[in-house]
Amino acid sequence: MRIFLFDARKLQTAVWLVLFLLVWEGVAWSIRHWIPVTQPETKWPYFTDVMTYVFANLGMLFKQGGITFANALSGFAIGSLVGLLLALIMSLSATIERIITPYIVSSQMVPIVGLAPIVFGILRDADMSRISMAAYVTFFPVAINALSGLSSIPSEKKELFASYASSKPVYYWKLALPSALPYLFLGMKLAAPLSITASIVVELMGAPNGIGVTMVSSLYYGSSQSTLFWATLFFSALIGLAAYLVISVIERVATPWQPEFRSTGGGNT
Amino acid sequence: MSTEIVINQVNMRFGKGDKAVTALSDINLDIPSGEIVSLLGPSGCGKSTLLRLIADLLEPSAGKIEVENESPRQARLQRKFGIIFQQPTLLEWRNVVDNVSLPLEFTGHSRKERKQIAMEQLRMVGLEKFAGHYPWQLSGGMQQRVAIARALTFNPPMLLMDEPFSALDEFTKERLHLEVIRIQEQTRKTVVFVTHSIPEAVFLSNRVIVLSAHPGKVKHNLSIELPGKRDLQIREHPAFFEYTTKVRSCFGEGAYDEDLLV
């Protein structure tokens, strides 16, 4: 049964890959043959061309992508911490929650494309700006999800801890935080790719390095660089995916009790 | 027999103004120590609310409760209650032995002592082989036995049980009834047992408090004296049927609410 499921999953991946390639190359072919655009290879290149370029320039892409990833990661870590702290503070009292919520919601109304140049202008440092923006987009989903985790603890569990005459800190450490972990990870999985995007947006505004810079410069040099542009786009997506997968793996290790991670069979009633 | 819990003119209302609901009205009750006392009644009679008032998980709107001559709060802060809920309420991230030893983390026991006491309790409910398992690997009945073991670990003088077996199948339920009786005979703890099942109340209890609903009132306070040992055979004894008939008659016409049929 297990082996069968594993094979089914492999098959799904294979089908997904084939469909993806068919659609991509189909679109590229259609643009070339049916729609009269100039330089169709810049509008939608063949995937195989993009991949050839990616592999030819793997070193450069990894170097620039690594810079983006490292900065996003720092910002992501800070943002997650801030988000969790906010959630903890808000879970302490409904009044505090009502005071803080409008601030954190309105903070997300400002488009990051508008905010990035402001932050860059003030901090005047590419790394600091990337980290700040990554933290800025991270804290919101983390705070909202962690808070809903903290506020959805079954009342009987709270009563159990009340009957132990538990102090607030012990209650948080032994019950509230572990209960909220799956929700915290949900927020972090949403935030991880966002933090990469935020970091790239800052780079578009004029950082000295990073995958975003490569992307912008490829646009300046016209059609000769168009494959580079697509390669950076593809690589950016890969970094975002990597960020998501890293958090997913950590989640699996940190919260093995979640129903979807339970490996051992046995009564479930 | 000394009196453990004294409930005096207790009223409980939820909500305010026109929407206020009276859950309990003028409850007067003495619960003696060392007995199993059932709070029996249909849904909405406030039996679980009464249990939570005793445990200081809720505060009465009016009236007074004393537990061993102290307020419920003082009793709770001294950890005098072991509570068992309808759901096992285990912590999914802890294995069985760590769930059972959880209460001892509040009482300053060392890691070694905690483990040792928890293993003893697990032996008492016959689950020592499952110490390393996680809650989701156990059946519902086993999970509830873990919850019983957990409630016993810090040796509280009172066990409060809120319909603990109502989610279990009949066979598991019977086994756990016998287990509760055995544990109570060994430890002589005061047990307050909330249930909506008449046979369960009669079988387990030294005393059955019959509550009526809307608002919750004490309708009858019945001492149960079954001839002989409380085992599965006693359920066939005429005295057992006399008691169940007597309790059922307390509810009059309403006795055939599906709530009261087991």
Side-chain angles (χ1 to χ4, degrees), chain A residues 156-157 159-166 170 174-175 178-179 256-257 262 264-269, chain B residues 52 57 76-77 79 83 85 87 89-93 102-103 105-106 136-140 143 150:
Chain A
E156 291 187 341
K157 283 187 178 159
E159 290 176 336
L160 187 72
F161 273 68
S163 78
Y164 299 150
S166 170
V170 174
K174 290 187 197 277
L175 179 63
S179 304
W257 66 85
R262 293 173 186 175
T264 344
N268 219 352
T269 46
Chain B
R52 280 170 169 73
L57 300 172
R76 177 174 67 83
L77 294 178
R79 304 186 179 96
I83 306 182
F85 299 97
Q87 298 299 323
T89 319
L90 303 174
L91 306 184
E92 301 89 334
W93 51 91
L102 172 70
E105 294 172 22
F106 295 87
W136 75 80
Q137 296 167 321
L138 306 183
S139 69
Q143 290 185 31
R150 178 180 62 187

Side-chain angles (χ1 to χ4, degrees), chain A residues 25-80:
Chain A
E25 304 296 60
V27 171
W29 188 88
S30 310
I31 286 176
R32 249 153 260 238
H33 291 87
W34 296 340
I35 304 171
V37 291
T38 50
Q39 297 176 319
E41 68 278 4
T42 68
K43 306 297 183 296
W44 195 287
Y46 283 113
F47 193 71
T48 39
D49 289 346
V50 176
M51 288 319 289
T52 315
Y53 193 94
V54 165
F55 280 106
N57 295 277
L58 213 51
M60 181 273 290
L61 286 170
F62 258 106
K63 185 163 177 275
Q64 299 305 321
I67 294 166
T68 307
F69 188 82
N71 281 290
L73 186 69
S74 309
F76 174 78
I78 295 169
S80 299

Side-chain angles (χ1 to χ4, degrees), chain B residues 139-164:
Chain B
S139 69
M142 288 159 91
Q143 290 185 31
Q144 200 57 292
R145 273 149 75 197
V146 174
I148 293 171
R150 178 180 62 187
L152 293 167
T153 35
F154 64 148
N155 200 20
M158 279 163 274
L159 282 184
L160 307 181
M161 309 178 84
D162 186 11
E163 300 191 33

